[in-house]
């Protein structure tokens, strides 16, 4: 999960949002299964997904809000 998360963050940083989404969603799934929703690592991945969807614009606002809520 850490590898997927790091790669996803890298792609997010260079604005390659499609690849970032793929890796971050994989990391989120693994972390949620392994640690649960309330674990800091899971929340950090959801925070990154919220940032991703915010960068993608208004058509993705619901997804951004959803992941922001999960990250809290």
């Amino acid at each position: 999960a850490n590898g997927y998360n790091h790669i996803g963050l890298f792609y997010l940083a260079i604005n390659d949002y499609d690849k970032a989404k793929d890796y971050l969603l994989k990391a989120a799934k693994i972390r949620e299964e392994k640690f649960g929703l309330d674990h800091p690592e899971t929340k950090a991945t959801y925070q990154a997904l919220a940032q991703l969807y915010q960068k993608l614009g208004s058509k993705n606002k619901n997804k951004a809000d959803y992941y922001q809520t999960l990250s809290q």
Side-chain angles (χ1 to χ4, degrees), residues 31 35-47 70-71:
R31 286 179 166 180
F35 301 123
L37 284 173
D38 291 329
H39 193 275
E41 289 186 30
T42 307
K43 290 183 177 199
T45 302
Y46 286 133
Q47 178 63 37
L70 286 176
S71 72

Side-chain angles (χ1 to χ4, degrees), residues 18-34:
D18 288 333
K19 288 182 182 175
K21 181 173 72 170
D22 290 341
Y23 283 99
L24 290 171
L25 287 172
K26 287 178 185 177
K29 181 179 182 204
I30 293 168
R31 286 179 166 180
E32 187 176 331
E33 289 172 357
K34 184 175 182 181

Side-chain angles (χ1 to χ4, degrees), residues 1-13 23-24 27 31 45:
N2 286 339
Y4 287 134
N5 195 66
H6 289 305
I7 293 169
L9 291 174
F10 168 77
Y11 283 123
L12 182 60
Y23 283 99
L24 290 171
R31 286 179 166 180
T45 302

